[in-house]
Amino acid sequence: IKNVEILREELTRNYDDYGITNYIFSDDTFNDSTYKVALIADMMAKLPFKPRFTSYLRLDLLRRFPEQIGLLKDMGIAGAFFGIESFNYETSKAVGKGMRGEHAREMLEVVHQAWGNKVNKTIGLIVGLPHETRANIAQTIDWIRTRPEMINSVCATALDIGLGSVQTSEFGKNPTKYGYDVVVYDTGE
């Protein structure tokens, strides 16, 4: 974490010199600790302007530490990206998330109640993960469609196991362990 005093000076300078008030906090998990969120909230409350920001957040941590919801609102959160990956519990466990789908849906409703339409809420999903079925995907789509006021956007991507790439995923390192059949096509090159 960047020293909070250096961050305060940087935000103040950006505001004084350029009028910047909107930020993207590109920390991969901005709410990984309530201590960090509270420390930054305290610093932001002392700024000469009211910043607005977007960030990556984890719903399971908001569920575990619900005080973060109010802190984030008071700080000026404008957008949140929740990398849910899947509402299917077995799938979530396979990718290291482990949050039950009903808990994720419940927390999306909780943050919507707390933040309303003032915060853009995006969820990230990955199609093609282990244990995910077409029925699971259809249920997810149906659930999202019935809540257009709660979820502003969905970022759904297909699983890329990255065979042969520099950053091979866990699924690419041992695809058969996860139930994937790998077929390599000869392109003739």
Side-chain angles (χ1 to χ4, degrees):
I1 184 171
K2 182 181 274 193
N3 179 292
V4 75
E5 188 55 30
I6 292 171
L7 182 59
R8 185 195 62 74
E9 290 171 6
E10 183 178 339
L11 296 176
T12 301
R13 184 178 56 254
N14 289 344
Y15 176 72
D16 290 344
D17 294 352
Y18 308 105
I20 296 172
T21 60
N22 297 318
Y23 286 87
I24 298 170
F25 293 161
S26 58
D27 185 331
D28 62 350
T29 309
F30 183 70
N31 67 321
D32 58 359
S33 86
T34 301
Y35 170 78
K36 178 176 79 176
V37 173
L39 185 68
I40 295 173
D42 183 58
M43 176 276 298
M44 289 174 74
K46 297 173 184 170
L47 291 171
F49 66 98
K50 180 71 174 166
R52 304 241 325 130
F53 69 95
T54 63
S55 191
Y56 298 106
L57 301 175
R58 284 189 38 189
L59 280 174
D60 62 326
L61 294 175
L62 291 177
R63 184 171 190 261
R64 186 172 178 193
F65 307 111
E67 64 276 12
Q68 291 183 357
I69 297 168
L71 284 169
L72 291 161
K73 181 180 180 180
D74 293 344
M75 292 169 68
I77 191 164
F81 183 95
F82 300 107
I84 294 170
E85 319 320 0
S86 173
F87 286 110
N88 179 298
Y89 183 55
E90 292 303 316
T91 301
S92 294
K93 285 193 313 187
V95 295
K97 294 289 182 164
M99 187 174 195
R100 294 187 175 278
E102 60 268 21
H103 294 156
R105 289 186 291 271
E106 171 190 302
M107 285 311 300
L108 286 167
E109 292 181 19
V110 167
V111 297
H112 179 68
Q113 289 299 316
W115 300 340
N117 293 327
K118 293 182 180 180
V119 177
N120 183 37
K121 294 164 290 296
T122 300
I123 61 172
L125 301 171
I126 300 175
V127 178
L129 290 170
H131 314 291
E132 192 79 78
T133 66
R134 289 178 189 231
N136 297 137
I137 295 166
Q139 289 170 345
T140 296
I141 291 168
D142 289 344
W143 186 83
I144 292 167
R145 282 186 177 153
T146 62
R147 288 151 180 86
E149 75 291 342
M150 188 171 74
I151 300 168
N152 304 97
S153 57
V154 177
C155 178
T157 58
L159 174 64
D160 179 359
I161 60 175
L163 291 175
S165 72
V166 175
Q167 296 183 5
T168 302
S169 72
E170 282 302 310
F171 305 112
K173 291 176 185 171
N174 192 357
T176 56
K177 174 182 172 184
Y178 297 99
Y180 296 104
D181 293 324
V182 178
V183 178
V184 179
Y185 294 96
D186 183 0
T187 62
E189 293 179 12

